Amino acid sequence: MKIYLNGKMVEKENARVSVFDHGLLYGDGAFEGIRAYSGVVFRLKQHIDRLFETCHTMMINIGMTKTDMIKAVVATLKANGLRDGYVRLVVTRGDGDLGLDPRKCKGAPNVIIIADKITLYPEELYKNGLTIVTVPTLRNHPESLNPQLKSLNYLNNIMAKIEANNAGVPEAIMLDGSGYVAECTGDNIFMFKNKVLKTPLQGRLRGITRDTVMELAEKKLKLSVEETWITRHEFFNAEEVFLTGTAAELIPVVKIDGRVIGSGKPGPVTLKLLKLFHQTVRKDGVKF
Ligand code: PXG
């Protein structure tokens, strides 16, 4: 396996960063999870825009143009002979000392690109739908660490994932500080009821799959789509619920906190959107 590390392709065994890297010491960095389908990197430009926005807010100067970054992602996929795969792009503050002051990271940030095969939820979960629960760990307050930042600080999502594991379910709903549904640990959440598709307005990452699904619902299915504040009660009483994310694509949810959702089976709108999503991923992106 070849890894892109600071402008060079290196073997996995030699792809190493310093123990003084502030991504390791403090979670001081940003990342993206990107997918390639049959030689098309799905919405790569949007992923690179989000990475640059995260780094801009964190005041990390990546030291590369967006075009160079797009080329580097494609080069990594090619170097590994992958037409379909998962790309993890990581930018850390770089090497500093044991203090948290980012000014001590005087060199360039570390830029790492890994391209690998993707691990997915088992097929039966797409057919039968997920059972999920709400966990006690809240999503970050936007003025603490804005969930819009895809930073290397994922500990609260990891705590929520541990709580999901303890409950024996594959994903978990995280609420925001006001008690509204924010998102799941690594996926956005949608509900469908009375011909309206709704998804949380705040407290969540602006997922690229989420944006795509909202566009498909409006343009192709002519649904009205609302970004708004949504409580658990509304999710419990939805006709359909599903999650979106780069890894999961669209996955139906059939039970939340013991309440059956709709018919208890993946709903027609979810299945239509999943089909439309599969049609769009091979067209909408950077070809290589
Ligand atoms: N919410 C959160 C908190 C996420 O981290 C999404 C939603 C979905 O966003 P996209 O842009 O992918 O539609 C994410 C992103 C993994 C992994 O397992 C995936 C994510 C986060 C962390 C790890 O590789 N998903």
Side-chain angles (χ1 to χ4, degrees), residues 50 86 88 139 150 154 157 183 185-186 207-209 246:
R50 187 169 67 183
Y86 185 72
R88 171 61 55 85
R139 199 64 174 96
K150 211 160 157 61
Y154 251 55
N157 292 46
E183 60 178 341
T185 67
I208 285 159
T209 319
T246 295

